[in-house]
Amino acid sequence: MIVRFILISIVVYLLVRSFARYFHEQNMRDHRHRSDYSNRQKQSGVSKEIGEYVDYEEVD
């Protein structure tokens, strides 16, 4: 009975720890992605959302 409780506790602990590590890693990856994205935008003079402006002339 006590062995079963200990084994179940170990399994639950390992599952909780693995999920916690996974979500922590995802959070760090998202944070790193956001900081890289903001650094790229700061370096660029024109936002990538604006796009390229092309001035067309009419040809007769």
Side-chain angles (χ1 to χ4, degrees), residues 4-17:
R4 184 182 300 170
F5 176 74
I6 292 172
L7 290 175
I8 290 173
S9 299
I10 290 172
V11 169
V12 169
Y13 169 74
L14 291 174
L15 284 173
V16 168
R17 188 177 72 165

Side-chain angles (χ1 to χ4, degrees), residues 26-42:
Q26 286 286 76
N27 188 18
M28 293 301 289
R29 189 178 305 145
D30 290 344
H31 178 69
R32 196 176 313 127
H33 178 69
R34 275 186 254 128
S35 67
D36 290 346
Y37 181 72
S38 65
N39 287 341
R40 275 187 270 144
Q41 279 191 338
K42 288 177 186 175

Side-chain angles (χ1 to χ4, degrees), residues 36-60:
D36 290 346
Y37 181 72
S38 65
N39 287 341
R40 275 187 270 144
Q41 279 191 338
K42 288 177 186 175
Q43 292 172 353
S44 174
V46 177
S47 173
K48 293 187 186 260
E49 294 175 1
I50 294 174
E52 184 177 343
Y53 178 76
V54 178
D55 188 19
Y56 293 100
E57 295 181 17
E58 280 190 34
V59 178
D60 292 323

